[in-house]
């Protein structure tokens, strides 16, 4: 398998909990490229354990160092549809922790990290209202406000579609 396909397989195995950090590290050691390093971060963030989620969240908050590509990859992989119980507290944590990320990041990377870690699989009216309230704060960086308003718009459309089709929209990820 080529490098890209190997990492796609490993990421899916990570989502399913069928691989671990040691196997991901071994794969990077086998072929150390920037693609492999970033892919390892994404796969690790997708593992359905509290340790993996806490590790990825530290990249978001800046408690753990990572390149811009690594932070974005971790955020995109963090929210998995079938990991609802594990992710339940992170929608609220996103709202609480996001403003402080402006102390560690600026510009486009601040916006990219906010967008990547947005709780896009956590469809609830409570999350929508929390995002709107946060976006209305005067002390919020303008780049964050824009991301929040865009993401709130996407969330509102998702909630409307789920309502129109009779799907549950009480905060349990789909």
């Amino acid at each position: 398998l080529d490098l890209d396909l190997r990492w796609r397989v490993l990421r899916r195995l990570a989502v399913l909990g069928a691989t671990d950090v040691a196997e991901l590290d071994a794969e990077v050691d086998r072929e150390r490229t920037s693609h492999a390093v970033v892919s390892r971060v994404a796969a690790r963030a997708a593992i359905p354990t509290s340790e993996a989620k806490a590790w990825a969240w530290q990249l978001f908050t800046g408690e753990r160092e990572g390149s811009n590509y690594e932070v974005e990859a971790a955020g995109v992989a963090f929210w998995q549809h079938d990991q609802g119980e594990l992710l339940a507290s992170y929608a609220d944590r996103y709202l609480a922790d996001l403003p402080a990320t402006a102390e560690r990041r600026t510009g486009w990377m601040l916006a990219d990290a906010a967008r990547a870690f947005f709780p896009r699989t956590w469809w609830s009216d409570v999350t929508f209202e929390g995002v709107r309230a946060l976006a209305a704060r005067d002390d919020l960086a303008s780049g964050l406000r824009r991301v929040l308003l865009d993401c709130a718009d996407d969330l509102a459309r998702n909630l409307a579609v789920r309502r129109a089709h009779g799907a549950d929209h009480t905060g349990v990820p789909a």
Side-chain angles (χ1 to χ4, degrees), residues 58-155:
Q58 288 175 339
L59 284 171
F60 172 61
T61 61
E63 296 169 61
R64 179 177 299 279
E65 292 292 319
S67 72
N68 295 344
Y69 293 115
E70 290 170 325
V71 171
E72 186 174 10
V76 169
F78 183 85
W79 293 95
Q80 298 293 323
H81 289 288
D82 54 352
Q83 297 176 0
E85 257 184 58
L86 187 60
L87 297 170
S89 68
Y90 282 98
D92 290 337
R93 287 182 68 183
Y94 176 84
L95 297 173
D97 293 348
L98 180 62
T101 65
E103 297 169 10
R104 300 190 186 248
R105 293 185 188 91
T106 59
W108 65 269
M109 193 51 218
L110 176 62
D112 281 357
R115 186 175 295 107
F117 274 92
F118 185 83
R120 66 187 166 281
T121 63
W122 201 259
W123 298 328
S124 79
D125 294 316
V126 172
T127 300
F128 175 74
E129 292 304 325
V131 169
R132 298 284 299 183
L134 181 57
R137 283 181 33 180
D138 292 336
D139 64 334
L140 194 67
S142 62
L144 290 181
R145 181 174 294 105
R146 181 65 197 184
V147 167
L148 286 172
L149 292 174
D150 288 347
C151 290
D153 187 51
D154 291 342
L155 181 56

